[in-house]
Amino acid sequence: MAIFSCKTLLRLSVAMAIVPAPVLAQTAQPGGAGETGTVETGDNGGLVDIVVTAQQRGENLQRAAVPVSVVTGADLVKSGTTGLGALTSVPALQVAAGGQGNLVFIRGVGNFSFLPSSDPAAAFNYDGIYVGRSSSTVGNFFDLERIEVLKGPQGTLYGRNATAGAINVLPVQPKLGETSGYAMASYGNYDAINAEGAVNVGLGDNAGFRLSGSYTKHDGYLRDGTTADDSGAVRAQLKVELSPALTVRLSADYAHQGGVAGGATYLGKYAFDATAGRFVVTPSGFAPGEGLSTPAASAYRTSNGAAGTLPGRFLDPLARLPYSNFDIYGAHAQIDLQTSIGTLTLIPAWRHARKDNFNVQSGQNVGNLQDSDQYSVEARLVSNPGRRIDYILGAYYFSERIDDDTHNSTGAVANFLTARYTTKSPSAYARLTFHATDWLRFTGGLRYTEDRKTFTSLARTLQLSCTVPANCPTMPLMPYTRTFGEQPVRPAVNGGTAPFAPGVIVRLLETPAAGSAKTDKLTWRGAVELDVGPSSMLYASAETGYRAGGFNNDAPYAPENITAYTIGMKNRFFGNRFQLNAELFDWKYKDQQLSFLGIDGTGRVGVITRNIGRSSIRGAEVEALARPLANTTLRAAVQYVDATYKSFVYQTPARPFVGCNVTPTGALFTVDCSGKRLFNSPKWTLNLAAQQVIPLGDLQLTIDADTQYRSSRETGFEYIAEERQGATWISNAQISLGQADGRWSIAAFVRNIENDRYQIYATPVPGSNLIAGIDATPRTYGVRLATRF
């Protein structure tokens, strides 16, 4: 493995362990997002401890023998942003927030797709509930206790679709017998409004009700007005301690995401030069943030392409500005019963999402109507502490149904796909930890998962052809419509043609499809933990995971499998004022899945999922946290990743525009990208942060600053030059003044001080020969007021 050897790591940990250090400070659970007026410290101004439930039981973060990073509710408020984009302090995590949800990558593994036919590689769990759709991971980021980011496969405790890791979003729970609350509001450039708050009402000594909500609104970050947001959410919880042994919590939530959906900017056009035998790119010359619907962008879109090689007029302007109209509902319960053999927990849940979206980020008109319902129930038994053998036993059932209607148009090609997908997935798991001594523990775990998937679909494609070359420069193109029946010309039979205009015909291709698949998988974990000092530990683990297979309209794809090896250490010393955690990792993927925009075997332009082969991801991550003085906190984290596709081969029916080896194979083209780096996997990531608190009597002034460096990375699937982002530095700062007890505060903040609109995603669009790119949020700044009671 790269960077360190196991022997070096062991020597380093033992050396740290012999430095005189007290035991860890008493555990202090962080408060809610609005309850952050004071800086939490441990004993004698040392580091605070955080309780996590990453392994299904409450434990000190520094005693959790898994690679996990935590962002508290206070960190989220301080970041001045909402959503997963606030998690820039986690080097392993890359998030591309598009107009349809969050694209999450952990160490280069993730999805470029929101398709209902494909599953994410990183499991998203809200309040212990797995959320199956990436487009439904919005609206939860307020009044939070913490967010846990688990790195690497979580096959035994979190099951399927957690091959890259898991993200646990945990809201603040009602506080029994207490009346309290908070409110926070900020205003910034782009007319940005961000408000959230919560009220906690004690209902006697044994019950509590908590109502919380949020609202965000800002103008678009692009010149055409796209990426504007207008969203809100509300959450209600009731927690009752029915007896000393029985606690019940009921929760319901609703979120709406509106506004002008995500935008992009044209990077260029491409066309195949038959004489040169290669693709030629004409750069657009647009600066980041131009958008796709400005007059300049529309003129560029409808002009001729690379060196005049494209026949005829190119494309009509985009149909309209994009929009988002998502409604997400959820309800669940958590029942905890303490018994002599452990705590029995039951979590039944329902989540529903209604999606109405029009998106142009890929440079084409894409509309989507989707209804999804998921039901789940989990039962688990977690042993009481203090036993020779700790155990976690559980059973889980997940059911999902999705009705999807996707319609997209490039002008010369219009696609209409209606489909229904169903998933039923039962599983059972067990994890045992044997305390061999007071300082040595062994853990083993198994999970059996079964997936039963079905789908039915009907794809209708209309294709224009110019039969008289002289008419091509002026031929009309098909309008964008939400339904097939709204198209002005439709051939009567599959494969038939009809006149569309003088010298132009339209052809109809209909492809009905149906399928079912049943797969099962036994995943496992083995680990050892070693306490090498009162505040130091080593751990090593091997764990497997798998991501379920699924369907394309033309062909199914197989499950993805991973085996990951980890060696880590966690240390605190110098009087509980310095923390150093390190991790070595080596991940091996087989039959890795990848979703990308392309042309499938039926000739339809859309997002396709394929098994592309094998990859290897190895490297190291080191995190340091220090409080040299009671009012000074310093943070640093560095990650090195060597992420390479060992085998990356796929076939496509059309000549692909890629930076990989392409070989004609009969009627297909074989693409070989073996040896390339994984997407969104910078070799080096560095995070630095500092906080200084200056007491001013009953007041305090707090100064925060942080910066992140990422080396160059690939932002798209094709490995073309236009998808390569160079190294970036992004910095943020905040200054706040408030009462020392946190009753009120006022803050000024700025994010992306450099105003670097670096590229987070790019893709060429088959059928239109455009290249479109999505840029990061520009510099934002504002002021924030907060109070709590």
Side-chain angles (χ1 to χ4, degrees):
M1 294 177 62
I3 304 299
F4 301 111
S5 68
C6 299
K7 184 181 293 185
T8 301
L9 185 63
L10 178 62
R11 289 172 176 171
L12 181 60
S13 290
V14 172
M16 292 177 177
I18 63 176
V19 176
V23 296
L24 297 176
Q26 294 295 312
T27 296
Q29 297 212 30
E35 303 170 24
T36 58
T38 58
V39 177
E40 295 184 71
T41 61
D43 293 344
N44 302 318
L47 298 172
V48 69
D49 291 335
I50 297 175
V51 172
V52 298
T53 53
Q55 299 189 96
Q56 307 288 30
R57 65 167 75 239
E59 59 185 336
N60 189 317
L61 175 62
Q62 282 300 103
R63 310 304 293 176
V66 290
V68 55
S69 296
V70 174
V71 178
T72 67
D75 296 327
L76 290 171
V77 170
K78 185 177 67 177
S79 72
T81 62
T82 59
L84 286 176
L87 302 185
T88 56
S89 61
V90 181
L93 186 67
Q94 305 272 338
V95 179
Q100 303 184 62
N102 296 301
L103 296 176
V104 176
F105 286 78
I106 298 179
R107 290 173 178 159
V109 181
N111 268 34
F112 284 123
S113 160
F114 299 102
L115 278 185
S117 58
S118 63
D119 297 305
F124 182 91
N125 303 290
Y126 164 68
D127 202 8
I129 311 301
Y130 172 70
V131 178
R133 298 298 101 209
S134 298
S135 58
S136 298
T137 61
V138 297
N140 301 309
F141 298 90
F142 62 97
D143 194 26
L144 295 183
E145 188 81 33
R146 65 188 180 278
I147 299 177
E148 302 172 351
V149 180
L150 288 87
K151 295 160 283 188
Q154 308 297 318
T156 55
L157 292 184
Y158 293 92
R160 58 196 287 276
N161 305 336
T163 51
I167 299 174
N168 299 334
V169 178
L170 301 164
V172 177
Q173 296 187 13
K175 300 176 181 179
L176 307 185
E178 177 181 310
T179 297
S180 59
Y182 77 94
M184 182 277 292
S186 67
Y187 179 79
N189 59 333
Y190 296 95
D191 279 335
I193 298 172
N194 182 17
E196 69 172 73
V199 175
N200 193 98
V201 179
L203 305 175
D205 294 334
N206 300 318
F209 174 77
R210 192 174 185 93
L211 180 67
S212 51
S214 71
Y215 175 70
T216 59
K217 187 178 188 300
H218 63 74
D219 293 341
Y221 297 133
L222 278 71
R223 294 186 182 94
D224 61 1
T226 51
T227 66
D229 185 33
D230 189 358
S231 304
V234 65
R235 178 191 306 129
Q237 301 178 82
L238 174 65
K239 186 175 184 179
V240 182
E241 189 180 86
L242 296 175
S243 73
L246 179 62
T247 301
V248 176
R249 181 166 60 93
L250 306 176
S251 179
D253 61 274
Y254 166 75
H256 172 78
Q257 183 181 27
V260 183
T265 296
Y266 293 126
L267 305 179
K269 295 175 182 177
Y270 66 99
F272 186 72
D273 188 330
T275 303
R278 60 184 177 86
F279 282 91
V280 178
V281 175
T282 302
S284 68
F286 290 130
E290 176 67 28
L292 303 179
S293 299
T294 63
S298 295
Y300 175 79
R301 177 184 177 86
T302 55
S303 65
N304 203 357
T309 58
L310 294 175
R313 188 168 57 80
F314 194 63
L315 286 174
D316 279 338
L318 294 171
R320 67 190 78 171
L321 280 178
Y323 66 85
S324 293
N325 187 15
F326 295 2
D327 291 295
I328 303 170
Y329 306 83
H332 66 276
Q334 179 170 330
I335 304 168
D336 295 309
L337 177 64
Q338 296 180 6
T339 72
S340 59
I341 59 173
T343 299
L344 178 64
T345 299
L346 182 67
I347 308 176
W350 163 80
R351 298 201 68 79
H352 171 76
R354 167 68 177 173
K355 177 182 177 183
D356 180 2
N357 176 265
F358 177 69
N359 191 275
V360 296
Q361 283 181 304
S362 62
Q364 58 177 317
N365 301 297
V366 182
N368 183 226
L369 297 173
Q370 185 183 110
D371 272 294
S372 65
D373 279 285
Q374 71 166 64
Y375 301 88
S376 64
V377 60
E378 182 168 13
R380 64 173 177 261
L381 177 65
V382 180
S383 63
N384 296 321
R387 297 174 179 266
R388 175 67 69 176
I389 297 179
D390 291 331
Y391 51 81
I392 302 174
L393 308 174
Y396 176 73
Y397 180 78
F398 175 83
S399 173
E400 183 180 50
R401 190 189 77 177
I402 304 172
D403 291 311
D404 188 75
D405 179 350
T406 300
H407 29 279
N408 65 298
S409 171
T410 63
V413 179
N415 300 291
F416 302 89
L417 175 65
T418 57
R420 168 171 288 185
Y421 306 90
T422 65
T423 300
K424 298 184 184 301
S425 179
S427 61
Y429 59 92
R431 181 180 285 191
L432 304 179
T433 298
F434 173 59
H435 296 256
T437 69
D438 291 340
W439 49 269
L440 180 63
R441 298 170 293 281
F442 298 93
T443 296
L446 293 172
R447 186 181 188 116
Y448 173 78
T449 303
E450 183 178 280
D451 277 301
R452 299 190 296 271
K453 289 189 171 186
T454 66
F455 91 106
T456 58
S457 70
L458 175 61
R460 292 172 170 174
T461 298
L462 295 172
Q463 299 176 335
L464 289 184
S465 296
C466 183
T467 60
V468 179
N471 293 347
C472 292
T474 58
M475 76 178 194
L477 299 180
M478 287 180 290
Y480 165 79
T481 61
R482 290 166 65 95
T483 66
F484 176 77
E486 294 174 312
Q487 281 291 318
V489 179
R490 305 181 306 279
V493 297
N494 184 23
T497 63
F500 187 82
V504 182
I505 63 171
V506 60
R507 182 182 302 275
L508 170 63
L509 299 175
E510 287 189 344
T511 308
S516 63
K518 179 180 178 181
T519 59
D520 57 10
K521 186 70 176 181
L522 184 68
T523 51
W524 53 265
R525 173 182 171 84
V528 59
E529 306 169 28
L530 174 67
D531 295 332
V532 292
S535 303
S536 297
M537 68 175 297
L538 291 173
Y539 62 92
S541 67
E543 184 156 5
T544 63
Y546 109 107
R547 179 158 46 144
F551 308 97
N552 298 293
N553 197 54
D554 61 339
Y557 56 90
E560 167 185 282
N561 296 278
I562 180 177
T563 303
Y565 305 93
T566 304
I567 299 174
M569 67 173 183
K570 295 188 176 183
N571 303 277
R572 277 195 182 172
F573 41 90
F574 297 140
N576 199 39
R577 291 183 178 274
F578 186 76
Q579 175 177 300
L580 181 64
N581 299 338
E583 170 201 355
L584 296 175
F585 52 89
D586 190 354
W587 301 357
K588 303 293 186 183
Y589 274 93
K590 181 181 178 182
D591 295 325
Q592 189 163 1
Q593 298 170 11
L594 192 65
S595 299
F596 59 97
L597 185 64
I599 301 176
D600 66 18
T602 69
R604 186 183 69 88
V605 177
V607 179
I608 309 163
T609 302
R610 298 282 192 243
N611 296 102
I612 59 169
R614 297 177 291 107
S615 67
S616 173
I617 305 169
R618 58 179 60 183
E621 183 174 328
V622 180
E623 298 178 339
L625 175 63
R627 183 163 282 141
L629 302 172
N631 294 321
T632 303
T633 304
L634 305 174
R635 300 173 186 267
V638 60
Q639 177 184 255
Y640 170 84
V641 177
D642 178 14
T644 307
Y645 285 111
K646 298 299 183 181
S647 175
F648 183 166
V649 181
Y650 66 98
Q651 292 185 321
T652 179
R655 184 184 297 274
F657 175 37
V658 295
C660 307
N661 294 324
V662 178
T663 305
T665 310
L668 301 175
F669 293 87
T670 299
V671 182
D672 189 348
C673 298
S674 302
K676 300 288 189 180
R677 285 188 62 83
L678 270 69
F679 315 110
N680 285 317
S681 60
K683 181 173 288 188
W684 290 99
T685 303
L686 173 66
N687 286 70
L688 300 172
Q691 180 186 80
Q692 180 63 53
V693 178
I694 303 173
L696 302 172
D698 292 336
L699 304 178
Q700 65 180 24
L701 185 69
T702 305
I703 302 172
D704 291 277
D706 65 86
T707 189
Q708 182 183 70
Y709 168 81
R710 293 177 186 168
S711 59
S712 61
R713 60 267 189 194
E714 304 290 338
T715 66
F717 172 79
E718 289 78 13
Y719 292 103
I720 59 177
E722 289 74 20
E723 295 175 337
R724 190 166 300 116
Q725 172 60 53
T728 54
W729 278 101
I730 302 297
S731 306
N732 315 295
Q734 175 178 283
I735 183 169
S736 63
L737 176 68
Q739 283 189 304
D741 62 4
R743 292 294 176 179
W744 65 265
S745 66
I746 180 171
F749 61 88
V750 57
R751 295 192 59 77
N752 191 358
I753 296 173
E754 297 85 352
N755 198 29
D756 185 352
R757 303 205 65 173
Y758 59 90
Q759 185 173 285
I760 59 177
Y761 175 65
T763 183
V765 184
S768 71
N769 289 49
L770 290 164
I771 307 172
I774 301 174
D775 303 319
T777 301
R779 180 192 299 124
T780 56
Y781 51 85
V783 294
R784 179 172 57 248
L785 298 174
T787 183
R788 71 182 179 94
F789 59 91

